[in-house]
């Protein structure tokens, strides 16, 4: 899915680049191509590559120093590559924010569950305390009743 080629100073023509572009895989995720000092390459060769690549899905780095590729085409390519990079950064930021939201939601759910468990534990303890108090009150009442019987 990644293709890294160093063709610096190779004797390549635009036709060679067109043939190369036609054979690029459609599922390419990254292309790094150095055609620096390939003096016969111009905008036509770069256009062939650009037609074949989806800049939204493919990371592209093309080095074209000392070629006949115009500054306008180089600027266009850099803009396309920069847009993709900014989209990826934005997507990464959105994903991180979403993960943060999910983590906070999960934390709240855990805290709510713990709060309910604590409330249930307190209810049980309160019930046990009341039952013990009632038992103690019955025991005292029984002792008092017995004491009155003995006294009578």
């Amino acid at each position: 899915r990644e293709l890294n080629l160093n063709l610096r100073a190779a004797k390549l023509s635009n036709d060679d680049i067109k043939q190369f572009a036609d054979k690029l895989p459609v599922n390419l995720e990254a292309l790094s191509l150095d055609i620096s000092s390939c003096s016969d390459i111009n905008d036509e060769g770069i256009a062939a590559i650009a037609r074949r690549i989806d800049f939204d899905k493919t990371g592209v780095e093309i080095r074209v120093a000392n070629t006949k590729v115009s500054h306008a085409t180089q600027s266009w390519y850099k803009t396309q590559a920069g847009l993709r990079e900014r989209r990826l950064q934005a997507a990464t930021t959105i994903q991180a924010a979403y993960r943060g939201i999910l983590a906070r939601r999960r934390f709240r759910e855990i805290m709510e569950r713990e709060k309910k468990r604590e409330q249930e534990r307190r209810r049980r303890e309160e019930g046990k305390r009341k039952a013990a108090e009632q038992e103690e009150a019955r025991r005292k009442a029984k002792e008092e009743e017995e004491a009155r019987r003995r006294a009578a």
Side-chain angles (χ1 to χ4, degrees):
R1 297 201 223 195
E2 293 184 14
L3 181 59
N4 298 306
L5 287 174
N6 182 350
L7 302 172
R8 179 183 282 258
K11 298 291 181 194
L12 296 173
S13 68
N14 285 324
D15 288 336
D16 296 324
I17 295 297
K18 288 177 190 175
Q19 288 177 13
F20 165 76
D22 288 341
K23 294 189 179 22
L24 285 172
V26 290
N27 62 346
L28 191 63
E29 292 179 5
L31 171 65
S32 177
L33 179 63
D34 186 352
I35 52 174
S36 300
S37 299
C38 294
S39 57
D40 292 335
I41 305 294
N42 61 30
D43 293 355
E44 192 178 323
I46 298 301
I49 294 172
R51 280 191 296 273
R52 181 75 174 164
I53 291 177
D54 181 351
F55 281 89
D56 287 335
K57 296 179 182 175
T58 306
V60 181
E61 178 185 7
I62 303 175
R63 288 180 224 86
V64 294
N66 301 318
T67 63
K68 294 179 183 167
V69 176
S70 70
H71 289 293
T73 298
Q74 289 181 39
S75 181
W76 174 86
Y77 151 71
K78 288 178 184 174
T79 300
Q80 291 301 309
L83 286 173
R84 178 181 186 276
E85 194 60 37
R86 285 191 291 285
R87 283 187 204 110
L88 286 175
Q89 288 173 351
T92 301
T93 301
I94 290 168
Q95 287 173 346
Y98 183 67
R99 281 192 301 270
I101 289 168
L102 291 179
R104 284 190 296 277
R105 184 179 297 156
R106 179 79 174 124
F107 178 75
R108 280 194 305 270
E109 289 170 357
I110 290 169
M111 294 306 292
E112 196 61 35
R113 211 174 17 234
E114 288 301 314
K115 183 179 175 183
K116 288 177 182 177
R117 284 181 186 158
E118 180 63 21
Q119 289 170 344
E120 184 59 33
R121 185 188 63 77
R122 286 182 183 167
R123 274 193 288 269
R124 282 192 307 269
E125 286 178 1
E126 182 66 19
K128 287 178 185 178
R129 187 188 61 75
K130 284 182 179 180
E133 286 175 357
Q134 289 172 351
E135 183 61 32
E136 181 65 22
R138 280 193 290 271
R139 188 187 59 77
K140 284 184 181 180
K142 192 175 184 181
E143 286 176 0
E144 288 173 3
E145 181 65 30
E146 285 179 20
R148 275 194 298 255
R149 277 190 206 159
R150 278 185 245 143

